[in-house]
Amino acid sequence: MKNTDAHTQKIKQLLESNEEANFELALQLIKSVSPDNEGTGMLAEVFEIITETKQKRMACLQNGVYAALRNNATLNFSELHMEHLLPGVGKLTELQHLYLGHNKLTNLPNDLVQLTHLKTLDLNVNQFRQVPLSIPQLTRLEQLLMNYNSLESLPENFKKLTNLKVLQLYQNQLKDFPLVITELPHLEVLWLGANVFSTLPAEISLLQQLKDLSLYNVPIQNIPQQIGRLSNLRELSMKYNQIHILPSEIGSLWRLIALEIDHNHIEKVPESIENLRKLEYLSLRNNQLKRVSSGIGQLQNLKSLHLDNNQLTELPEEIGKLKNLEVLSVENNQLKAVPPALYQLDKLKTFNLRDNQIPLKKISEVHRQYPLIQV
């Protein structure tokens, strides 16, 4: 052990100057007095100083002072404008959460495979065109975030990530639905929005643990009947697609809490929607709906209902049964009246009726019934 009190005092003096050049000298001195040239043996108080910001932690990595970072469970190197992550991260074998978002990375060093305890890897907003070779080897990974990249496909060995629970691939260039995803048995969250594939395969039903499925802004036209087998699904978003028909099997998603199907070409909602008794949020904006099923009255937990920009000429009396409804928005339809049953909704806070064909007299009546809410 080459470390001495004199060396430690000199290191502290260099660090106290707050000058970048002296910080680099302090790191070099730390290495020179350690038995393994990686900073091992240095006092904890010194490590606290040299790792107090993400820039300083990156400097420790760049200078090979790995001991300062080795006991960290979490490292955040996001927003550092990095084009390359230097080798050496693999020496931080206790790492569980690594955040590298908002950089300019196109690949990762191969020594990342040594992070056998890694659970979270954030690569959002980078420049990856393919999944780095090291990622499928991280078999304990539970969260992989690669939103806003340029991925065109996923490798076949991606299925090794059998512990993956969260996979976010929003805003990439996936040309086909990556079937390898369906071999991830513990997946709970899947975001595939803003990609370019046009077919949602029946194999989606294999993801039996899925709770959150986002297909926002994907040019799919058909939803397979097998989607009804995703019995654990809580949130389903299919906004800005090309969907014309909702299969009746959607009524089998009895655990669903939020359903978004805005900006499609749907003319009617299947009667089976009445089975979604746990639904709290339902949005069908910007479709071609001409009527709302009376079965909607069965959705006793519904809090928000959005039907703006459709072709509705009336609302069913059964909406008055939605005792927990807080928001009802039907802007820009062809409504000529409001069913009296709506006045029974004593929890209603927002009632948007703009741009319909309702006479002013009727609007005034709504104001009298709901003087404290937005109409």
Side-chain angles (χ1 to χ4, degrees), residues 199-212:
T199 302
L200 183 65
E203 287 85 347
I204 189 74
S205 64
L206 297 175
L207 297 173
Q208 287 293 297
Q209 300 305 313
L210 206 59
K211 296 179 180 178
D212 180 353

Side-chain angles (χ1 to χ4, degrees), residues 93 95-96 110-121 131-144 156-166 183-187:
T93 53
L95 204 58
Q96 296 183 34
N110 290 332
D111 71 343
L112 215 70
V113 300
Q114 300 174 51
L115 303 182
T116 56
H117 297 286
L118 198 66
K119 294 181 179 180
T120 302
L121 180 57
V131 175
L133 296 175
S134 54
I135 288 182
Q137 311 303 320
L138 302 173
T139 54
R140 290 195 183 180
L141 206 61
E142 295 181 3
Q143 296 189 71
L144 176 59
E156 184 61 27
N157 65 349
F158 199 82
K159 61 186 177 185
K160 291 183 177 181
L161 300 176
T162 54
N163 287 300
L164 206 62
K165 294 181 179 179
V166 177
E183 299 188 53
L184 304 177
H186 297 107
L187 202 63

Side-chain angles (χ1 to χ4, degrees), residues 193-327:
N195 279 283
V196 295
F197 61 88
S198 59
T199 302
L200 183 65
E203 287 85 347
I204 189 74
S205 64
L206 297 175
L207 297 173
Q208 287 293 297
Q209 300 305 313
L210 206 59
K211 296 179 180 178
D212 180 353
L213 175 59
S214 177
L215 297 168
Y216 175 95
N217 194 20
V218 180
I220 55 176
Q221 298 183 19
N222 299 303
I223 301 174
Q225 297 176 348
Q226 290 82 357
I227 199 169
R229 298 176 187 173
L230 299 177
S231 58
N232 282 301
L233 210 59
R234 268 73 163 177
E235 298 182 36
L236 176 58
S237 177
M238 296 182 290
K239 300 191 296 185
Y240 291 92
N241 296 321
Q242 303 295 324
I243 300 167
H244 287 77
I245 298 175
L246 283 181
S248 61
E249 287 78 7
I250 206 156
S252 299
L253 305 177
W254 63 276
R255 286 191 173 97
L256 212 58
I257 295 175
L259 177 59
E260 297 179 315
I261 322 176
D262 307 344
H263 293 270
N264 280 283
H265 307 289
I266 297 168
E267 295 185 5
K268 69 175 184 177
V269 178
E271 297 289 337
S272 62
I273 198 171
E274 68 180 26
N275 298 323
L276 306 182
R277 305 296 172 89
K278 294 189 177 184
L279 203 63
E280 297 181 7
Y281 181 91
L282 176 59
S283 187
L284 291 158
R285 297 183 183 97
N286 294 81
N287 278 285
Q288 298 172 22
L289 295 176
K290 296 181 180 179
R291 62 180 294 272
V292 178
S293 167
S294 60
I296 200 167
Q298 301 297 320
L299 308 182
Q300 294 293 302
N301 285 303
L302 202 61
K303 295 180 180 179
S304 294
L305 176 58
H306 301 268
L307 299 168
D308 313 274
N309 301 303
N310 278 285
Q311 301 172 23
L312 301 174
T313 57
E314 62 180 3
L315 295 175
E317 288 281 344
E318 287 77 7
I319 285 184
K321 297 179 180 180
L322 304 177
K323 302 301 183 182
N324 289 299
L325 199 64
E326 298 177 359
V327 177

